């Protein structure tokens, strides 16, 4: 059985072309995703609003501690423990 050498060349070129197309599509998607993230960052910077304060205020910490204590009491009540 003889195999035409042109078959191997054709299959190789076809495979290479397929890999190139998949790579080009992936690269295009990656660039689009990066452009979207850059746009989101630019909008966030333009708004000037911080997502989270760097350090919580004393009032916030007191309120969080109070909420934690309430949760502990409610869990104790649910468990049937006498306070």
């Amino acid at each position: 059985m003889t195999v035409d050498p042109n078959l191997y060349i054709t299959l190789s070129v076809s495979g290479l072309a397929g890999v190139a197309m998949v790579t080009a599509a992936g690269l295009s998607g990656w660039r689009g995703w990066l452009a979207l993230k850059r746009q989101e960052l630019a909008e966030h910077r333009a708004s000037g609003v911080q997502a989270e304060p760097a350090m919580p205020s004393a009032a916030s910490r007191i309120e969080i501690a109070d909420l934690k204590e309430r949760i502990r009491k409610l869990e104790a009540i649910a468990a049937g423990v006498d306070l």
Side-chain angles (χ1 to χ4, degrees), residues 53-69 72:
M55 183 74 173
S57 67
S60 297
R61 287 183 281 175
I62 292 170
E63 186 176 345
I64 290 172
D66 183 47
L67 289 173
K68 286 181 180 179
E69 183 62 30
R72 279 190 219 111

Side-chain angles (χ1 to χ4, degrees), residues 7-66:
L7 175 67
Y8 291 121
I9 293 171
T10 304
L11 288 176
S12 299
V13 169
S14 298
L16 186 61
V19 169
M21 285 189 280
V22 168
T23 302
L27 182 60
S28 175
W30 175 252
R31 287 181 178 164
W33 184 81
L34 285 177
L36 174 68
K37 290 300 173 182
R38 283 189 188 117
Q39 182 181 4
E40 287 177 357
L41 283 173
E43 289 174 3
H44 181 70
R45 287 181 186 148
S47 67
V49 178
Q50 289 184 343
E52 277 184 44
M55 183 74 173
S57 67
S60 297
R61 287 183 281 175
I62 292 170
E63 186 176 345
I64 290 172
D66 183 47

